[in-house]
Amino acid sequence: MLLQLSWLSLVIWLPIIGGVAVIASGEDDLELTKRIALLVAVLTFAVSLPLWFGFDRAQTEMQFVEFAPWIPILDIHYHLGIDGLSMPLILLTTFVTIFVIIAAWEVITYRPSQYLAAFLIMEGIMVGVFSSLDAILFYFFWEAMLIPMFIIIGIWGGANRVYATIKFFLYTFFGSVFMLVALIYLYFQADSFGILDFHRLPLGLTAQTLIFIAFLLAFAVKVPMWPVHTWLPDAHVEAPTGGSVILAAIMLKIGGYGFLRFSLPITPDASAQLDWLIIALSLIAIVYIGFVALVQQDMKKLIAYSSIAHMGFATLGFFLVFAIMRQPAAEGGAILGISGGMVQMISHGFISGALFLCVGVLYDRMHSREISAYGGVIHSMPWFGAFLMFFAMANAGLPGTSGFVGEFMVILAAFRADFWYAVLAGTTLVLAAAFTLWMVKRVLFGEVRTEAVAHLPDLNRRELINLGAMAAMVLAIGLWPKPLVDVMEPTITSLVAQVQVSKLPGARTELGAGLGKVLAGEPGLPSLTSSGLP
């Protein structure tokens, strides 16, 4: 019983305490320090696995709940719990961190104990974000994330790391201030900082609109959405490989998670009124940023812009829900859109993380990210070439890979909302293939351009383990997405039913008529599996 009550705390605090232990181990015995860091990362992933195997897929309520007073005088509590939205993101976090630690094994020579400790501490903080059910606890973890990433880029980053870290900090901190104001307002309305209490709070349309905008400023920066995306390419270019992997694979997902945990359930009427704004910004990210990626000469910048475009798919799927509800014969599409957005976020975590690991492999050997510095790499690095080609195809949405599943689901949902949404969203299939294959062609194929490229060593065992594990997950989700979709479906169905009910005092929307059917188990909202998805 004790383990059950404290399981989430174990996943949060084990890497944080382990990170402190890694710092305490010092720089004298680097081999011991690295082994401790890897052991902590592997143990954290191991203790997170019961969250998957012990998760009741038929329940819509929060599971693995923990509750303890934290600051009772302010009604702030240490309140944790997970559902089908947060649990997959926690597992993504604990899985990817292992390979960030391995990737730094031979590369980081300056203060390696502090470097590894920063990632372990950040891992625990990010798990805290995904599992917090108290708004102030959520905000505490949300802000705490900035510190280790600021340090990672600022100390181990590139030549312009100071500029990149300050820009990263100011953008994210600016949006967070508005979120804090919104959370304090909600506290005075609900007399509680409980996020689930916020979900049940009836709010007027004006209040909802202001709160929605406050949340949008925080979450849009974190995703990032156009036009507040400019900090991301700079941060990626200056960050070390591990920083880029965590930034793309996990930290961007926290913005998307915020929309689902806060914006949709707390301000459904404002979300319905302003869904056109999020849809427009998402489609601009997909199309415009895709063209921006086409002209990049730096591999990291190209992948960074690719991340913005692919995360635009996730936010598009989330906010198609209201456009679909306006169509009388498209009930199941609302669940399909949000599920597609979630699958897209998980998939992008593996694919983008793997692509940044690939860039790191080349940078460790050549100390250049410029595409023009390479050519004919596949002749000297055939194993690397095979992995880069595979991840490039996944990034372009090749069927059989995870990159296809989420995009396909969102495009199907977009068809149910508006034909032109689907057409614009579908351009990513062309643009992503164009900029990804352009990079691959210039880097891997053709004649060997320099003597240095001709003598590049192929992947070592550490790099094979990293890229092989990522490839396995991309294939697993691409070939069999059903377990991931099934674990999310009850929570998403409940969320869709919740946003159908107006939060305006004393009012209900016509769309809320199906809520009783959902709660009663009637087929008011078709399930994904009954819709024929694998």
Side-chain angles (χ1 to χ4, degrees):
M1 179 63 70
L2 179 61
L3 285 178
Q4 183 179 0
L5 291 175
S6 60
W7 207 264
L8 279 174
S9 290
L10 185 61
V11 182
I12 293 172
W13 295 106
L14 174 60
I16 294 176
I17 296 172
V20 174
V22 169
I23 294 177
S25 67
E27 310 288 351
D28 296 332
D29 191 344
L30 295 183
E31 193 66 25
L32 176 63
T33 297
K34 295 171 185 176
R35 290 181 184 276
I36 293 173
L38 181 58
L39 177 62
V40 171
V42 172
L43 283 177
T44 303
F45 177 64
V47 298
S48 70
L49 287 177
L51 302 181
W52 175 272
F53 294 106
F55 191 83
D56 186 349
R57 286 152 176 76
Q59 293 292 326
T60 60
E61 302 296 325
M62 291 291 172
Q63 302 180 43
F64 295 91
V65 175
E66 301 176 33
F67 184 90
W70 183 21
I71 311 176
I73 192 171
L74 297 177
D75 199 29
I76 299 172
H77 304 289
Y78 181 78
H79 192 189
L80 304 175
I82 58 171
D83 59 8
L85 298 176
S86 53
M87 186 266 287
L89 293 169
I90 290 174
L91 289 178
L92 173 68
T93 303
T94 59
F95 180 82
V96 170
T97 303
I98 295 174
F99 304 102
V100 170
I101 299 297
I102 295 174
W105 204 266
E106 299 171 1
V107 177
I108 302 299
T109 57
Y110 179 70
R111 298 182 180 179
S113 66
Q114 297 175 32
Y115 179 86
L116 298 173
F119 282 106
L120 291 174
I121 292 171
M122 187 161 57
E123 175 186 16
I125 293 172
M126 291 187 295
V127 173
V129 170
F130 291 130
S131 56
S132 294
L133 295 181
D134 182 277
I136 297 302
L137 184 64
F138 173 88
Y139 187 78
F140 169 79
F141 284 124
W142 173 279
E143 290 295 288
M145 284 188 307
L146 298 180
I147 300 172
M149 183 55 74
F150 185 91
I151 293 172
I152 288 167
I153 300 175
I155 295 178
W156 292 277
N160 295 321
R161 58 186 180 274
V162 175
Y163 169 78
T165 51
I166 292 175
K167 190 174 184 180
F168 161 72
F169 185 87
L170 290 178
Y171 266 71
T172 52
F173 185 76
F174 174 79
S176 300
V177 170
F178 292 96
M179 180 173 69
L180 178 61
V181 173
L183 296 177
I184 293 173
Y185 174 84
L186 289 168
Y187 165 75
F188 284 110
Q189 298 300 310
D191 198 27
S192 167
F193 276 115
I195 295 174
L196 300 183
D197 293 331
F198 293 169
H199 290 184
R200 295 185 287 267
L201 188 64
L203 297 168
L205 184 59
T206 301
Q208 284 194 46
T209 302
L210 293 174
I211 293 169
F212 178 87
I213 293 172
F215 285 150
L216 175 62
L217 291 172
F219 302 143
V221 169
K222 193 74 79 175
V223 168
M225 301 179 69
W226 182 89
V228 289
H229 66 283
T230 58
W231 65 269
L232 183 66
D234 292 322
H236 271 307
V237 167
E238 300 304 325
T241 298
S244 292
V245 172
I246 291 296
L247 192 59
I250 303 167
M251 288 192 71
L252 304 189
K253 313 304 176 290
I254 292 172
Y257 173 78
F259 282 123
L260 297 180
R261 182 65 72 215
F262 289 87
S263 300
L264 290 180
I266 296 174
T267 60
D269 297 293
S271 298
Q273 292 285 332
L274 296 174
D275 65 333
W276 61 270
L277 174 63
I278 308 299
I279 291 172
L281 295 178
S282 300
L283 290 173
I284 290 173
I286 292 170
V287 180
Y288 168 69
I289 299 299
F291 281 108
V292 173
L294 273 171
V295 299
Q296 298 307 310
Q297 302 297 320
D298 184 300
M299 287 186 284
K300 267 195 171 184
K301 269 196 173 182
L302 188 149
I303 300 169
Y305 281 112
S306 170
S307 295
I308 298 168
H310 283 96
M311 285 301 295
F313 248 91
T315 52
L316 176 64
F318 297 157
F319 281 87
L320 282 173
V321 56
F322 303 103
I324 292 171
M325 287 176 181
R326 298 184 189 110
Q327 308 300 321
E331 285 182 316
I335 302 174
L336 185 65
I338 297 178
S339 296
M342 277 295 299
V343 173
Q344 174 72 357
M345 288 208 303
I346 300 294
S347 166
H348 177 262
F350 293 117
I351 296 172
S352 64
L355 285 172
F356 279 115
L357 286 174
C358 288
V359 175
V361 167
L362 291 178
Y363 186 80
D364 293 342
R365 289 158 170 77
M366 293 277 290
H367 301 290
S368 175
R369 297 181 303 268
E370 293 296 319
I371 295 173
S372 58
Y374 299 91
V377 170
I378 199 166
H379 297 292
S380 54
M381 302 178 68
W383 277 106
F384 171 80
F387 277 113
L388 180 59
M389 193 68 195
F390 172 77
F391 293 124
M393 292 294 96
N395 196 53
L398 181 72
T401 67
S402 61
F404 172 77
V405 179
E407 292 181 2
F408 182 66
M409 293 170 72
V410 172
I411 290 175
L412 281 181
F415 264 113
R416 300 191 180 192
D418 189 287
F419 171 77
W420 292 108
Y421 291 168
V423 170
L424 290 173
T427 58
T428 193
L429 301 175
V430 177
L431 292 174
F435 60 69
T436 306
L437 294 179
W438 178 84
M439 179 187 72
V440 168
K441 174 183 178 293
R442 299 278 300 278
V443 171
L444 288 185
F445 301 107
E447 296 182 359
V448 177
R449 293 191 181 182
T450 65
E451 191 69 17
V453 171
H455 294 91
L456 287 176
D458 207 351
L459 299 176
N460 57 36
R461 184 175 63 178
R462 170 180 55 84
E463 294 162 342
L464 277 170
I465 291 172
N466 275 5
L467 298 181
M470 292 291 191
M473 294 306 301
V474 170
L475 271 178
I477 297 174
L479 296 176
W480 194 33
K482 188 176 186 299
L484 179 59
V485 173
D486 285 350
V487 81
M488 298 186 299
E489 184 181 351
T491 301
I492 293 174
T493 302
S494 176
L495 175 62
V496 170
Q498 189 174 359
V499 301
Q500 286 180 312
V501 179
S502 173
K503 290 295 186 73
L504 299 177
R508 287 172 61 93
T509 63
E510 294 181 4
L511 294 170
L515 177 62
K517 296 180 180 180
V518 173
L519 299 179
E522 298 179 20
L525 289 172
S527 68
L528 290 174
T529 51
S530 66
S531 301
L533 284 177

